[in-house]
């Protein structure tokens, strides 16, 4: 008996490329986050020290609280945004983005403003408690905006080329946001310096500069966020579907590929490569964050430069870093790429935020002038921070890089058992190591 011919499947229509207007509107959605981050890292300690008169430990504790909140909120929000349905038909990613943007808008201006209920005799611990909720709300909103914006990329486009292109547009707006912040700071500082009663060094008289800078940044960020929400179309999340991947995924894979990395998040904790990358990533991020956080105080207290240079030098540093990033493409092509994972990225990001906050807190506790904002030893202290601390972290980064070169990064593939329904048995797959033994293999 002849077999019946099965009907041929309908041809799958290729997904249309995202229009240029939609790509630009998507990239505009992270402008506010990038601008606030530049203002936060570069000027927060300087504002608390020089403008508000905070002690070194209290200022460091506020920055540490923000980093802790960001580090804890990021993985939790990533878990939640994947499983929530959003606000009606608005889209789950855009709903979280709107919530995060709102949190940033209502909290960030208060961080760079003097305490509204404080007086001259108000104790510092009361002002600390005043700023703490605004910092936590800001970091929660910042994390919600970042996670939802990044998670939109695979939903808007499908091909790897389009994903890379969207990421490039997003980075272009990051560059624009940073240059905007430093350019505005330069204009505000130079406008005040040109006044007849100008004061060359920072002090309480400069509170309006930071206040106006924060308000302008938030205003511009709101405009760019509005462009994002009006121009970006997200597919609504189906109400009747489950957000749990294990409930919608098939119980058994038909043909598991031996070349597919079958690792779950717990397996990464047993991989030496996980810790190699963690040390290298943490070290490089520490160099960037610490130099950005202390460059303004180094310029004003160690080099005794005019306050207008706290905008000029960071701008030059950022533009130089942006230009040097063009070298990364040929270097990356020469070195190659290794295996990655969302859990790995989340863990590296958490490590970066925690290490940065703890490092700043440690430096603040070592300040030689605990009872006053600055003393005769300030010059050598910030010089030591910019040279000794960042240089020491650079040595650690070089050591971890040498370790990776001696013992190259490799990832072992673990055997995975896929269990079916009860009494149906299980199917286990596994691969051997590159050396020919065991139940794991490695790749470079």
């Amino acid at each position: 008996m002849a077999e019946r011919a099965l009907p041929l499947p309908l041809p799958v229509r290729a997904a249309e490329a995202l229009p240029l207007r939609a790509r630009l509107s998507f990239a505009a959605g992270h402008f506010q986050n990038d601008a606030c981050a530049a203002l936060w890292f570069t000027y927060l300690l300087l504002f608390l020290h020089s403008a508000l008169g905070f002690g070194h430990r209290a200022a460091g504790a506020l920055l540490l609280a923000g980093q802790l909140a960001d580090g804890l909120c990021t993985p939790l929000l990533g878990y939640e945004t994947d499983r929530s349905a959003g606000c009606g038909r608005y889209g789950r990613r855009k709903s979280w983005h709107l919530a995060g943007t709102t949190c940033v808008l209502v909290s960030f201006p208060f961080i760079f403003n003097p305490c509204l209920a404080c007086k001259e005799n108000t104790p510092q611990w009361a002002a600390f408690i005043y700023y703490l909720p605004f910092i936590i709300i800001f970091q929660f909103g910042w994390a919600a905006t970042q996670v939802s914006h990044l998670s939109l990329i695979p939903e808007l486009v499908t091909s790897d080329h389009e994903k890379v292109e969207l990421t490039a547009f997003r980075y272009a707006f990051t560059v624009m946001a940073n240059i905007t912040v430093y350019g505005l700071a330069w204009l505000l500082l130079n406008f005040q310096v040109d006044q007849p009663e100008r004061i060359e060094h920072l002090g309480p008289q400069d509170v309006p500069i930071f206040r106006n800078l924060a308000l302008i940044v938030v205003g511009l960020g709101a405009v760019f966020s509005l462009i994002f929400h009006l121009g970006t179309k997200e597919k609504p999340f189906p109400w009747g579907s489950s957000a749990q991947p294990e409930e919608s995924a098939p119980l058994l894979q038909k043909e598991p590929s031996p070349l597919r990395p079958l690792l779950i998040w717990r397996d990464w904790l047993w991989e030496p490569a996980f810790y190699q990358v963690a040390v290298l990533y943490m070290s490089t991020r520490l160099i960037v964050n610490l130099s950005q956080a202390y460059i303004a105080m180094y310029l004003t207290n160690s080099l005794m430069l005019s306050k207008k240079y706290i905008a000029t030098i960071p701008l030059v540093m950022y533009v130089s870093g942006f230009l040097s990033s063009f070298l990364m493409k040929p270097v990356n092509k020469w070195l190659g790429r290794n295996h990655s994972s969302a859990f790995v990225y989340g863990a590296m990001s958490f490590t970066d935020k925690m290490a940065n906050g703890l490092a700043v807190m440690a430096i603040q506790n070592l300040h030689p002038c605990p009872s006053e904002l600055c003393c005769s030893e300030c010059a050598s202290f910030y010089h030591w921070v910019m040279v000794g601390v960042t240089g020491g972290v650079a040595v650690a980064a070089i050591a971890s890089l040498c370790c990776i070169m001696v013992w190259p990064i490799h990832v072992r593939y673990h055997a995975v058992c896929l269990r079916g329904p009860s009494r149906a048995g299980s199917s286990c797959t596994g691969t051997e190591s590159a050396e020919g033994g065991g139940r794991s293999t490695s790749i470079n």
Side-chain angles (χ1 to χ4, degrees):
M1 185 177 180
E3 297 182 357
R4 293 181 59 187
L6 297 176
L8 295 176
L10 295 176
V12 180
R13 186 176 61 181
E16 296 181 358
L18 202 64
L20 177 62
R21 183 178 61 180
R23 283 177 282 177
L24 291 174
S25 64
F26 164 80
H30 209 256
F31 180 93
Q32 179 179 257
N33 260 24
D34 292 324
C36 290
L39 189 53
W40 165 271
F41 277 111
T42 308
Y43 298 123
L44 178 67
L45 291 179
L46 185 69
F47 173 72
L48 295 175
H49 281 313
S50 302
L52 298 186
F54 265 69
H56 302 286
R57 293 183 180 179
L62 284 175
L63 191 144
L64 174 61
Q67 295 301 106
L68 288 174
D70 188 11
L72 293 175
C73 288
T74 299
L76 295 178
L77 287 168
Y79 179 88
E80 185 62 28
T81 53
D82 284 335
R83 286 155 176 78
S84 63
C87 298
R89 299 181 60 83
Y90 193 63
R92 52 179 176 167
R93 311 296 187 188
K94 289 180 64 177
S95 298
W96 278 102
H97 189 283
L98 180 61
T101 300
T102 304
C103 290
V104 173
L105 287 175
V106 300
S107 61
F108 192 73
F110 290 95
I111 299 175
F112 285 90
N113 263 297
C115 177
L116 297 180
C118 297
K119 301 179 181 179
E120 293 183 0
N121 57 350
T122 301
Q124 194 172 100
W125 62 265
F128 181 92
I129 295 176
Y130 169 85
Y131 284 104
L132 189 59
F134 294 115
I135 289 177
I136 294 176
I137 295 173
F138 160 65
Q139 293 292 356
F140 171 84
W142 198 96
T145 304
Q146 182 198 40
V147 170
S148 58
H149 194 257
L150 280 173
S151 59
L152 260 178
I153 294 179
E155 295 193 8
L156 295 176
V157 294
T158 55
S159 68
D160 291 340
H161 173 73
E162 290 178 318
K163 292 177 183 178
V164 171
E165 193 175 46
L166 264 189
T167 305
F169 273 87
R170 188 175 184 270
Y171 181 68
F173 275 80
T174 299
V175 175
M176 185 192 307
N178 281 265
I179 293 178
T180 299
V181 169
Y182 297 133
L184 287 172
W186 183 83
L187 289 175
L188 291 174
L189 289 168
N190 277 270
F191 177 78
Q192 189 202 40
V193 168
D194 291 338
Q195 299 301 314
E197 64 277 8
R198 68 178 184 267
I199 301 177
E200 293 293 336
H201 300 290
L202 287 166
Q205 74 279 353
D206 297 303
V207 169
I209 290 181
F210 293 99
R211 179 194 62 206
N212 295 336
L213 182 59
L215 290 175
I216 295 174
V217 164
V218 168
L220 289 175
V223 173
F224 279 94
S225 297
L226 181 62
I227 294 173
F228 164 78
H229 283 277
L230 293 178
T232 303
K233 307 299 180 182
E234 179 188 2
K235 296 179 181 178
F237 186 75
W239 281 96
S241 64
S242 170
Q244 296 291 339
E246 54 268 19
E247 295 180 5
S248 59
L251 293 176
L252 293 174
Q253 299 288 339
K254 294 181 179 180
E255 294 181 4
S257 173
L259 296 179
R260 183 181 178 182
L262 302 175
L263 276 78
I264 58 178
W265 69 270
R266 288 186 296 270
D267 295 329
W268 286 108
L269 301 178
W270 298 99
E271 294 292 339
F274 178 80
Y275 301 98
Q276 287 178 293
V277 174
V279 174
L280 181 60
Y281 181 81
M282 179 186 67
S283 302
T284 52
R285 290 298 301 168
L286 270 178
I287 296 172
V288 175
N289 292 333
L290 291 180
S291 60
Q292 187 177 8
Y294 285 99
I295 183 62
M297 287 178 285
Y298 172 70
L299 294 173
T300 56
N301 296 323
S302 295
L303 301 183
M304 302 301 294
L305 295 178
S306 174
K307 56 188 176 184
K308 64 181 180 180
Y309 289 101
I310 67 172
T312 307
I313 302 301
L315 178 61
V316 172
M317 292 173 58
Y318 187 82
V319 172
S320 301
F322 168 68
L323 294 177
S324 64
S325 66
F326 289 102
L327 299 176
M328 292 300 102
K329 186 175 182 179
V331 171
N332 182 73
K333 185 178 180 181
W334 176 56
L335 295 177
R337 296 175 179 262
N338 279 322
H339 178 70
S340 61
S341 168
F343 170 75
V344 174
Y345 177 79
M348 299 303 118
S349 180
F350 177 80
T351 304
D352 159 42
K353 293 176 174 63
M354 295 299 101
N356 183 66
L358 293 174
V360 169
M361 192 62 198
I363 293 172
Q364 295 296 100
N365 283 323
L366 294 175
H367 201 282
C369 315
S371 60
E372 52 184 325
L373 293 180
C374 192
C375 58
S376 58
E377 298 179 4
C378 271
S380 60
F381 176 76
Y382 289 116
H383 178 80
W384 171 81
V385 170
M386 292 300 296
V387 177
V389 177
T390 57
V393 176
V395 172
I398 295 174
S400 61
L401 182 61
C402 293
C403 179
I404 292 175
M405 296 178 65
V406 175
W407 296 284
I409 294 177
H410 68 280
V411 177
R412 297 170 294 177
Y413 292 173
H414 295 259
V416 175
C417 293
L418 301 176
R419 299 185 182 276
S422 58
R423 299 183 181 179
S426 60
S427 174
C428 294
T429 62
T431 56
E432 295 183 354
S433 65
E435 289 77 18
R439 299 175 65 182
S440 63
T441 190
S442 62
I443 60 171
N444 291 328

